[in-house]
Amino acid sequence: GKVFVDFNRNGIIDGRDIGFAGVTIQLLDANGKLIATTKTAADGTYLFEHLPAGKYTIVELQPNGYGSSTPNTLPVTLPLTGLTNQNFGETLSSIGG
């Protein structure tokens, strides 16, 4: 998955959207117990490896000063083949006149 700055606020990685480094991502098991924590890489990507198939929840800890264009919590069912594209969009505010 990836955490990205969503410049057009559409919740999809596109156009000039860029990865967001250093964001904390947590992985919870089916009972809500924290089983792993990681931080996003320089390009905004994160990875949890060597997991059995099953139900999990991926939680992004909201970076200070940013809003969200996607949910910060993703309940997922991990198949034997793995799962990709579990992304988190971050937004910035603007002032105009």
Side-chain angles (χ1 to χ4, degrees):
K2 187 171 191 171
V3 176
F4 63 101
V5 179
D6 190 1
F7 287 104
N8 64 0
R9 300 172 179 244
N10 68 351
I12 300 169
I13 301 171
D14 56 13
R16 62 185 188 130
D17 297 343
I18 58 172
F20 197 131
V23 178
T24 301
I25 306 293
Q26 298 177 329
L27 184 66
L28 311 177
D29 68 12
N31 297 316
K33 179 182 175 191
L34 178 66
I35 58 172
T37 300
T38 192
K39 290 205 180 265
T40 56
D43 64 354
T45 59
Y46 70 91
L47 176 67
F48 294 106
E49 295 182 292
H50 310 294
L51 300 167
K55 294 185 182 289
Y56 296 91
T57 301
I58 306 167
V59 179
E60 175 209 26
L61 300 186
Q62 186 67 44
N64 289 336
Y66 287 80
S68 294
S69 64
T70 61
N72 290 338
T73 301
L74 298 174
V76 297
T77 300
L78 180 65
L80 290 173
T81 56
L83 191 61
T84 60
N85 294 318
Q86 302 305 299
N87 304 318
F88 297 97
E90 302 307 316
T91 60
L92 291 167
S93 295
S94 59
I95 297 174

